């Protein structure tokens, strides 16, 4: 009988964790394994492994679009709660990791959960706001208006009669999320150590991104700040609005917002849209997002149909600012160039700009990446024309980067997902709108503003003084240079950074070259001597 190899696999290590030897959350691992068995997640894992394989042409193997495994994965994540639901939403922005069927299933994740009893919700509100509910609200509906795994929303009326919604964080959700983050961190470390998939992708970094996202959403004060900030940024677009924030009725776990009266965009018929100025709304919406991305540096991450309302007054309202994307000043400039290069079919410029956003690893084939990006940009223009989907193009760019084993900035995936949702919304509002042309026009306007911002009276005065100084001293300095040149007195000084290191390197190279020449000379000379000796010792021909 053969011997059994010692357990050194990922499954064996996970089993040890479940037994409590390496983790303080054995009960949660038991729950994870139960859900995995219920939904057959081992089959899902096998399916996703095949997605990483390639055919003879180097393309991912095609998957059966009718397979129910993507829905099973989404259902399993929903049952596991808020941390895993958020993980699924994060994975839905990574087409480099998952095939389209999984992306679609995870993008539709719903927070379906039994609501917290109304009496318990009232207790949380009173504790957080520091007084009885009747001190702040004329009425408070104990039946939730909407329910999710992290929070639930209740209708209420302020003392002055204004309609509001009150978002209340579910009890115990913070503690559960912290435990799940620890579990996911342990699993990511194991997968990185024991599986090829884990070694290829930076799974611990994904867990850190998830933790950062959830920490933002757990503090409703940050959501309030985001809502107010983006509301100010949208002030120039009268057809767009955001909910009113009531800071006096807010805490880390409670958030009071103005109630938006309207309907989901997806629920409106074509006839109802025809009664609105839908093309103008669509143009404002895309222009507002371009402004958020390339001027303000902060953008609403999730403009999906569930977060977009058409109000009774005919404006478009954006909801849910718990998660936003951010770009620093350098990233904003690169995004401007990237979007403009996409719109102008400049594939090489797209590749160069993307590489400026990341740290390029050793051994990277820049030429092959540039060729693939150029082909991608050309394909989108050839197939899409004026209706090119910038969101799909950006996500395909991240998939291409993953294929070339280079990093993917998290803000880039958030931007791609936001733009992809935006593409669908704009197509619903105004199918005839040319997004590419609007990008060109808006970029030109932005560049003109930047140039004009530099042309201030103070800058002009400084420029005039500099020119005056140059003109006054140019003849004298030119005469001095010509005189030295005529008298053979003109000298030049060359400064080389780290010159000692350079000289040391040159000396080593020269020494190696000299030794190589000496060794070669000795070999050649030895060959001549040996040949002459053999010739002299050979018998003379008769």
């Amino acid at each position: 009988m053969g011997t059994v190899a010692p357990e050194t696999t990922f499954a064996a290590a996970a089993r040890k964790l479940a037994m409590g030897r390496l983790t303080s959350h054995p009960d949660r691992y038991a729950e994870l394994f139960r859900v995995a068995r219920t939904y057959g997640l081992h089959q899902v894992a096998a399916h996703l492994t095949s997605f990483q394989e390639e055919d003879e042409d180097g393309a991912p193997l095609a998957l059966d679009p009718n397979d129910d495994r993507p829905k099973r994965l989404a259902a399993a994540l929903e049952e596991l709660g808020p941390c895993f639901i958020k993980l699924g939403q994060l994975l839905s922005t990574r087409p480099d990791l998952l095939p389209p069927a999984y992306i679609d299933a995870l993008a539709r994740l719903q927070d379906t959960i039994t609501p917290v009893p109304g009496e318990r919700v009232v207790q949380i509100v009173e504790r957080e706001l520091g007084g009885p509910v009747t001190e702040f609200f004329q009425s408070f509906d104990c039946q939730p208006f909407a329910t999710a795994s992290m929070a639930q929303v209740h209708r209420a009326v302020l003392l002055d009669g204004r309609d509001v919604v009150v978002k209340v964080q579910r009890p115990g959700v913070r503690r559960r999320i912290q435990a799940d983050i620890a579990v996911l961190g342990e699993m990511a470390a194991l997968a990185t150590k024991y599986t090829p998939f884990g070694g290829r992708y930076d799974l611990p970094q994904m867990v850190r991104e998830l933790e950062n996202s959830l920490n933002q959403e757990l503090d409703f004060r940050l959501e309030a700040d985001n809502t107010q900030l983006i509301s100010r940024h949208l002030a120039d677009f009268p057809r767009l609005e955001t909910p009113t924030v009531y800071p006096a009725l807010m805490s880390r776990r409670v958030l009071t917002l103005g109630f938006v009266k309207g309907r989901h965009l997806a629920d409106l018929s074509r006839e109802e849209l025809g009664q609105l100025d839908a093309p103008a709304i669509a143009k404002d919406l895309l222009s507002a997002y371009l402004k958020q991305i390339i001027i303000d540096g902060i953008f609403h991450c999730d403009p999906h149909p569930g977060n977009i309302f058409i109000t009774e007054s005919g404006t478009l309202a954006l909801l849910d600012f718990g998660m936003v994307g951010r770009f620093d000043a350098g990233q904003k400039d690169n995004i401007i160039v990237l979007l403009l290069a996409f719109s102008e079919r400049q594939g090489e410029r797209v590749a160069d700009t993307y590489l400026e956003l990341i740290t390029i690893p050793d051994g990277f084939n820049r030429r092959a990446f540039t060729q693939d990006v150029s082909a991608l940009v050309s394909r989108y223009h050839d197939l899409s024309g004026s209706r090119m989907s910038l969101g799909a193009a950006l996500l395909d760019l991240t998939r291409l980067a993953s294929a070339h084993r280079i990093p993917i900035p998290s803000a880039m995936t958030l931007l791609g997902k936001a733009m992809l949702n935006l593409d669908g919304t704009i197509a619903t509002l105004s199918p005839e709108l040319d997004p590419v042309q609007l990008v060109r026009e808006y970029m030109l306007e932005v560049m003109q503003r930047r140039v004009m911002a530099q042309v201030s009276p103070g800058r002009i005065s400084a420029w005039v003084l500099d020119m005056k100084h140059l003109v006054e001293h140019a003849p004298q300095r030119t005469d001095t240079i010509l005189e030295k040149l005529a008298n053979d007195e003109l000298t030049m000084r060359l400064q080389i950074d780290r010159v000692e290191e350079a000289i040391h390197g040159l000396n080593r190279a020269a020494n190696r070259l000299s030794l190589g020449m000496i060794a070669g000379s000795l070999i050649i000379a030895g060959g001549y001597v040996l040949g002459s000796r053999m010739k002299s010792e050979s018998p003379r021909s008769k």
Side-chain angles (χ1 to χ4, degrees), residues 195-450:
T195 69
F197 178 85
R200 178 176 177 181
Y201 300 99
D202 192 352
L203 299 184
Q205 174 61 28
M206 290 185 62
V207 174
R208 288 191 291 271
E209 291 177 16
L210 176 64
E211 182 178 14
N212 179 62
S213 173
L214 287 169
N215 285 337
Q216 289 187 52
E217 296 195 35
L218 284 171
D219 191 340
F220 291 167
R221 295 169 298 184
L222 296 178
E223 180 176 346
D225 291 342
N226 294 336
T227 305
Q228 292 177 306
L229 179 59
I230 292 182
S231 179
R232 291 194 296 270
H233 292 164
L234 299 182
D236 295 335
F237 302 94
R239 298 180 183 87
L240 307 179
E241 64 175 84
T242 59
T244 303
V245 176
Y246 294 90
L249 302 175
M250 179 184 72
S251 72
R252 189 181 69 174
R253 299 180 63 195
V254 173
L255 175 62
T256 304
L257 301 168
F259 178 68
V260 177
K261 298 179 180 179
R263 298 167 61 191
H264 288 295
L265 175 62
D267 296 337
L268 270 65
S269 65
R270 178 53 56 186
E271 291 72 20
E272 289 173 313
L273 284 173
Q275 298 173 4
L276 303 171
D277 192 359
I281 294 175
K283 184 175 181 180
D284 272 6
L285 181 60
L286 180 54
S287 298
Y289 262 85
L290 292 173
K291 177 179 181 294
Q292 290 178 58
I293 293 165
I294 64 180
I295 295 180
D296 304 325
I298 176 173
F299 61 94
H300 182 215
C301 276
D302 211 6
H304 65 74
N307 287 336
I308 294 180
F309 267 55
I310 297 296
T311 68
E312 293 180 349
S313 61
T315 60
L316 186 146
L318 296 172
L319 309 177
D320 191 0
F321 295 88
M323 183 62 184
V324 296
R326 298 180 186 273
F327 290 120
D328 60 30
Q331 289 176 321
K332 285 192 297 183
D333 289 343
N334 283 328
I335 293 300
I336 291 175
V337 176
L338 188 70
L339 293 177
L340 194 56
F342 249 120
S343 68
E344 295 294 337
R345 197 172 182 158
Q346 297 177 338
E348 292 187 9
R349 190 71 179 273
V350 171
D352 291 342
T353 307
Y354 181 89
L355 295 176
E356 291 180 10
L357 291 166
I358 64 171
T359 300
I360 301 176
D362 295 335
F364 169 65
N365 190 334
R366 189 185 188 109
R367 182 177 180 182
F369 177 71
T370 301
Q371 290 175 341
D372 287 346
V373 171
S374 297
L376 171 70
V377 173
S378 295
R379 184 169 69 253
Y380 265 94
H381 275 271
D382 292 340
L383 297 179
S384 307
S386 63
R387 291 299 311 174
M388 184 179 73
S389 169
L390 285 174
L394 289 173
L395 289 177
D396 274 348
L397 178 60
T398 62
R399 182 185 293 115
L400 199 58
S402 175
H404 282 267
R405 307 291 198 275
I406 58 176
I408 300 173
S410 58
M412 180 65 72
T413 58
L414 289 175
L415 175 61
K417 182 66 180 302
M419 295 297 290
L420 187 63
N421 283 324
L422 196 62
D423 289 335
T425 300
I426 290 172
T428 300
L429 285 168
S430 180
E432 66 278 3
L433 179 66
D434 181 354
V436 173
Q437 182 59 33
L438 185 60
V439 168
R440 293 192 188 107
E441 293 173 357
Y442 193 82
M443 294 298 183
L444 178 61
E445 182 181 347
V446 168
M447 298 308 295
Q448 288 175 341
R449 287 180 185 175
R450 289 195 171 190

Side-chain angles (χ1 to χ4, degrees), residues 28 31 34-35 38-39 74-82 84-85 112 176:
R28 189 54 171 159
E31 176 70 7
R34 182 193 66 77
V35 172
T38 300
Y39 292 95
L77 294 178
E78 285 178 357
E79 183 170 334
L80 287 169
F84 287 87
I85 290 173
T112 55
R176 184 176 183 183

